[in-house]
Amino acid sequence: MSPTLFNKLLWMVGPSLFKKDTNMRRSIPVEQRLALTLRCLASGDCMRSLSYSFRIGHSTVSKIVNETCRIMYEILAPTYLQLPDTNMWKLISNDFSKIWNFPNCVGAGDGKHFAMQCPNNGGSYWYNYKGFHSMVMFAVCDANYCFIAVDIGAYGREGDASIFASSQFSKYLDDGCLGIPGPSKLVYSDSLSPYVFVMDDAFPLKKNIMKPYPGRSTGSLTKEELIFNYRLSRARRTIENAFGIVTNKLRIFRKPMIGSPQNVENYIKAGVVLHNMLIREDSRFYLITKKLPDHFDVNGVLIEGAWRTDNTMTSMFRDLRPGKGINYPTVAKNIRDQFTKYFSNEGAVPWQRVIVEDTGRISEEEG
């Protein structure tokens, strides 16, 4: 974080962190409180180590970090995690079309398990199918890796369908309260299509949610369906990379977090808003992280981001469990089929068939 951005962050959260001096002792300055918290999030050091580094009592360090994380989220969220309005949804859609070649897409969604120490009397509530205790966050991001909406706090043992169905985002989407624009024409086409979110197999297929065609492992997909899956996967990499950048920069998420569920939730919330603030305002941060996200060369060949090379990071940051087969609404299937035809005709990109064919040949050779 640049000194300029640190000062701006201090100006925003400082008044809420300020403590008055007493007759017995002087309060810890707000600059030190903020620096201590950022150090904790960025390094992942334990509270005992931080107490030695900052010469502050162990219990005081814990209180400062938890309080500062909570205040940062409360103050920064209205600015850096604001739900988009109709015009902003259209701008996000334009970015997905230009950068990721997926028109009428307004976000990529996924859920991740944050590893944590088993809470006191936690039982099996936080124990997930991967074999460790975790708290789940469902998130949606835009084409530039900024989070649009997050839902944090689900038990690690919960299934994918229940996590998404119980999220506030899902309820707003079903009720039509997100302010998403009505159907519009696809690029270079006269076909009208609704605006959609792209997600993986763990989520349901709905009018505004697109997921891949199943059956890749059995080889039952047509070439057009494989192209759709490729184009959707290409756009959905934004949310995977958003998670990867957060974990690369905030190393507290690289190992099981120690603390109560409420404290862990505060750490995650603070990490989300800090990530958005850094992406949007600190060009130095963005330049440094250019090699972190996945990117493509001029021929559409994937070049994996640097965050994927860290085994520790990926092992502590798990995907949601794949979903089971469900009978989806006919209207949702028709919309997916419409995108499939579009991507194979007027919406095609030059390299997609080569990529799909090469991927198919690699899969056959491995088989």
Side-chain angles (χ1 to χ4, degrees):
M1 178 179 289
S2 66
T4 301
L5 189 58
F6 177 85
N7 290 333
K8 179 174 182 177
L9 179 60
L10 180 63
W11 175 79
M12 295 178 72
V13 303
S16 299
L17 294 176
F18 178 77
K19 306 290 183 182
K20 293 183 178 180
D21 296 338
T22 66
N23 294 330
M24 300 295 294
R25 66 181 64 182
R26 296 177 60 185
S27 63
I28 298 174
V30 292
E31 297 90 341
Q32 192 170 2
R33 289 172 177 269
L34 181 58
L36 169 63
T37 302
L38 294 178
R39 177 65 180 172
C40 177
L41 295 174
S43 68
D45 289 346
C46 66
M47 301 299 175
R48 184 71 64 182
S49 175
L50 291 169
S51 70
Y52 293 140
S53 300
F54 285 80
R55 302 179 67 182
I56 300 175
H58 172 259
S59 60
T60 305
V61 167
S62 180
K63 291 179 181 178
I64 289 175
V65 171
N66 291 324
E67 179 186 28
T68 306
C69 284
R70 176 181 57 80
I71 290 174
M72 276 199 297
Y73 179 78
E74 292 175 354
I75 293 177
L76 298 181
T79 302
Y80 296 103
L81 195 61
Q82 185 179 20
L83 194 65
D85 57 20
T86 301
N87 291 329
M88 291 178 66
W89 285 123
K90 291 181 179 179
L91 293 176
I92 293 172
S93 174
N94 290 337
D95 286 341
F96 267 103
S97 181
K98 293 177 181 177
I99 301 173
W100 300 102
N101 304 114
F102 202 114
N104 285 28
C105 176
V106 289
D110 201 357
K112 292 293 178 181
H113 290 271
F114 287 83
M116 60 185 289
Q117 189 181 61
C118 180
N120 294 332
N121 303 317
S124 61
Y125 285 102
W126 303 98
Y127 195 73
N128 63 40
Y129 75 105
K130 290 289 187 178
F132 61 91
H133 296 86
S134 64
M135 178 177 290
V136 181
M137 176 177 81
F138 169 77
V140 177
C141 79
D142 63 18
N144 297 299
Y145 316 116
C146 281
F147 293 108
I148 298 172
V150 296
D151 194 287
I152 305 168
Y155 292 123
R157 76 170 189 177
E158 290 188 54
D160 42 24
S162 62
I163 290 174
F164 177 73
S166 61
S167 68
Q168 199 67 40
F169 176 84
S170 177
K171 295 176 182 177
Y172 283 168
L173 183 62
D174 291 340
D175 295 340
C177 300
L178 292 178
I180 299 175
S184 66
K185 291 183 179 180
L186 296 171
V187 181
Y188 305 123
S189 174
D190 293 329
S191 299
L192 288 175
S193 173
Y195 288 90
V196 299
F197 297 91
V198 292
M199 302 185 188
D200 63 12
D201 290 329
F203 300 94
L205 179 68
K206 294 186 176 183
K207 178 182 176 181
N208 296 109
I209 298 178
M210 292 291 103
K211 59 179 287 184
Y213 285 98
R216 175 63 184 271
S217 59
T218 62
S220 59
L221 298 182
T222 65
K223 183 168 291 187
E224 287 72 21
E225 291 171 342
L226 289 173
I227 290 174
F228 172 85
N229 285 2
Y230 162 69
R231 296 285 290 272
L232 184 141
S233 175
R234 180 184 171 92
R236 204 182 61 79
R237 284 183 178 273
T238 53
I239 187 64
E240 294 179 357
N241 283 273
F243 287 134
I245 294 172
V246 168
T247 314
N248 185 277
K249 288 297 177 182
L250 304 179
R251 301 194 174 202
I252 190 175
F253 302 135
R254 289 194 175 198
K255 56 187 178 181
M257 289 174 279
I258 300 174
S260 66
Q262 183 59 57
N263 291 345
V264 170
E265 184 175 340
N266 288 335
Y267 300 155
I268 300 172
K269 287 180 175 179
V272 167
V273 292
L274 276 175
H275 166 78
N276 279 8
M277 184 178 188
L278 287 165
I279 286 287
R280 292 179 182 177
E281 301 221 6
D282 197 334
S283 59
R284 175 175 173 272
F285 169 86
Y286 182 73
L287 291 174
I288 290 175
T289 57
K290 265 194 171 180
K291 294 183 180 179
L292 282 179
D294 296 336
H295 52 285
F296 298 85
D297 64 16
V298 294
N299 296 317
V301 177
L302 170 66
I303 301 174
E304 292 193 342
W307 70 268
R308 293 184 183 272
T309 62
D310 193 319
N311 294 329
T312 302
M313 177 168 55
T314 54
S315 64
M316 289 292 102
F317 218 40
R318 304 285 188 171
D319 291 322
L320 290 183
R321 191 180 334 190
K324 298 180 180 179
I326 303 174
N327 291 324
Y328 299 110
T330 301
V331 63
K333 293 181 180 179
N334 291 339
I335 292 171
R336 183 167 64 178
D337 291 341
Q338 179 186 11
F339 274 107
T340 302
K341 293 179 181 178
Y342 171 76
F343 288 143
S344 294
N345 293 288
E346 63 268 30
V349 292
W351 61 82
Q352 64 185 24
R353 289 191 177 275
V354 175
I355 296 293
V356 169
E357 289 172 359
D358 288 345
T359 304
R361 283 195 292 268
I362 292 173
S363 299
E364 290 176 3
E365 291 173 1
E366 292 177 348

